[in-house]
C-alpha cells in the first residue's frame, strides 16, 4: 500500500479464516512476498494478537476497554520485545514487535460483514512509537466516531506526550477507514499523518488500524484497536 524511503512500509493481508490485518514493517516488500508463501505462521508482520507465539506473554495491565500484555518472545531465532493489546470485544487487537532488525506494528481482527446505519463511537487503546529509536511505545486512548450514512469518521487519540486528531472516510462496502491529513503532535513535533484502518465483525462492532507521520521516512508510527 505504501513504501517509505527506508524500504519499510504499509501493507494489508487477509487470513484463510477471514481475519483482516494491516501492518507497518521493515522491508515491507520482502514481508509481503514471504507472507504469500507457506511459512511459519508465528513469524513476520502477519502475526496477529491471537497467535500461539504469544500465549505465554503475561498480562501487564487490565484496562476498561482491553487487556495489555508485555514480554519477550523468540521469533526466527531472534529475541523480540512484544506489546499486545486485546480489545474486550474479542474482535480486534494490535501487536508491536521491537527487534534489532526493525519494528513491526500490526492491527487485526475479525472479518467485516456489513455497515450499520447511523453514527457510532468506538473507544480503545492507541499507541505510538518513534521509529528511529525503537524499543518502546507509549500507550493511551482513542475515540473514533463513524458516521456510516455520510461515510466519514473523526478520530482523537492521545498519550502522555502525543495526540492524533482529524477526519477521514469510511468505505461502507469494504469496511476500511482512510485519511491522509490527520494532525499529529508527538514530543512537540508537529506534522500531518496518514491512517489505514478497518472495521471488524458482522455489523462493524470493532475497529483497528495503523498510522504514520507523513515524512518520506516517517518519524512516528502507531496503531489502535477498540470497539463500540
Amino acid at each position: 500500500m505504501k513504501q517509505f524511503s527506508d524500504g519499510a512500509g504499509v501493507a494489508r493481508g487477509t487470513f484463510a479464516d477471514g481475519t483482516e490485518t494491516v501492518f507497518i514493517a521493515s522491508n515491507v516488500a520482502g514481508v509481503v512476498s514471504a507472507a504469500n508463501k507457506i511459512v511459519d505462521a508465528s513469524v513476520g508482520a502477519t502475526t496477529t494478537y491471537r497467535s500461539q507465539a504469544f500465549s505465554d506473554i503475561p498480562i501487564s495491565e487490565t484496562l476498561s476497554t482491553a487487556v495489555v500484555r508485555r514480554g519477550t518472545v523468540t521469533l526466527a531465532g531472534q529475541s523480540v520485545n512484544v506489546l499486545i493489546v486485546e480489545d474486550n470485544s474479542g474482535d480486534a487487537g494490535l501487536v508491536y514487535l521491537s527487534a534489532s532488525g526493525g519494528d513491526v506494528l500490526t492491527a487485526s481482527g475479525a472479518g467485516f460483514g456489513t455497515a450499520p446505519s447511523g453514527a457510532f463511537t468506538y473507544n480503545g487503546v492507541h499507541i505510538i512509537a518513534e521509529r528511529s529509536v525503537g524499543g518502546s511505545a507509549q500507550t493511551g486512548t482513542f475515540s473514533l466516531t463513524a458516521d456510516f450514512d455520510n461515510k466519514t469518521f473523526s478520530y482523537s487519540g492521545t498519550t502522555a506526550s502525543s495526540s492524533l486528531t482529524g477526519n477521514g472516510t469510511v468505505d461502507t462496502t469494504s469496511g476500511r477507514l482512510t485519511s491522509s491529513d490527520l494532525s499529529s503532535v508527538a514530543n512537540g513535533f508537529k506534522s500531518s499523518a496518514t491512517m489505514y484502518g478497518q472495521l471488524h465483525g458482522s455489523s462493524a462492532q470493532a475497529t483497528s488500524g495503523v498510522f504514520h507521520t507523513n515524512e518520506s521516512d516517517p518519524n512516528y508510527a502507531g496503531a489502535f484497536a477498540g470497539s463500540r
Side-chain angles (χ1 to χ4, degrees), residues 47-148:
T47 300
T48 78
Y49 65 99
R50 298 187 183 118
S51 173
Q52 287 298 313
F54 305 139
S55 59
D56 294 330
I57 299 295
I59 294 174
S60 60
E61 295 177 87
T62 300
L63 307 175
S64 60
T65 63
V67 169
V68 180
R69 301 177 183 272
R70 296 178 189 265
T72 304
V73 295
T74 300
L75 297 176
Q78 182 178 188
S79 180
V80 180
N81 294 319
V82 182
L83 164 66
I84 303 163
V85 175
E86 302 172 356
D87 184 71
N88 288 344
S89 68
D91 286 324
L94 64 87
V95 178
Y96 173 52
L97 303 172
S98 177
S100 59
D103 292 353
V104 175
L105 278 162
T106 76
S108 60
F112 172 69
T114 58
S117 298
F120 295 88
T121 298
Y122 300 76
N123 295 287
V125 178
H126 166 106
I127 73 168
I128 189 170
E130 189 172 358
R131 294 184 64 241
S132 63
V133 175
S136 64
Q138 287 189 17
T139 60
T141 61
F142 81 90
S143 178
L144 183 155
T145 298
D147 184 333
F148 291 100

Side-chain angles (χ1 to χ4, degrees), residues 183-208:
S183 176
S184 170
V185 179
N187 298 318
F189 179 83
K190 298 181 180 180
S191 64
S192 63
T194 295
M195 176 181 288
Y196 310 84
Q198 53 207 358
L199 297 163
H200 304 291
S202 59
S203 58
Q205 297 96 323
T207 185
S208 72

Side-chain angles (χ1 to χ4, degrees), residues 33-47:
S33 177
N36 284 319
K37 299 175 183 177
I38 299 175
V39 296
D40 183 348
S42 71
V43 178
T46 53
T47 300

Side-chain angles (χ1 to χ4, degrees), residues 4 6 8-9 24 26 103 129-134 212 217-221:
F4 308 147
D6 65 351
I24 299 175
S26 302
D103 292 353
E130 189 172 358
R131 294 184 64 241
S132 63
V133 175
H212 60 78
D217 180 6
N219 292 311
Y220 293 90

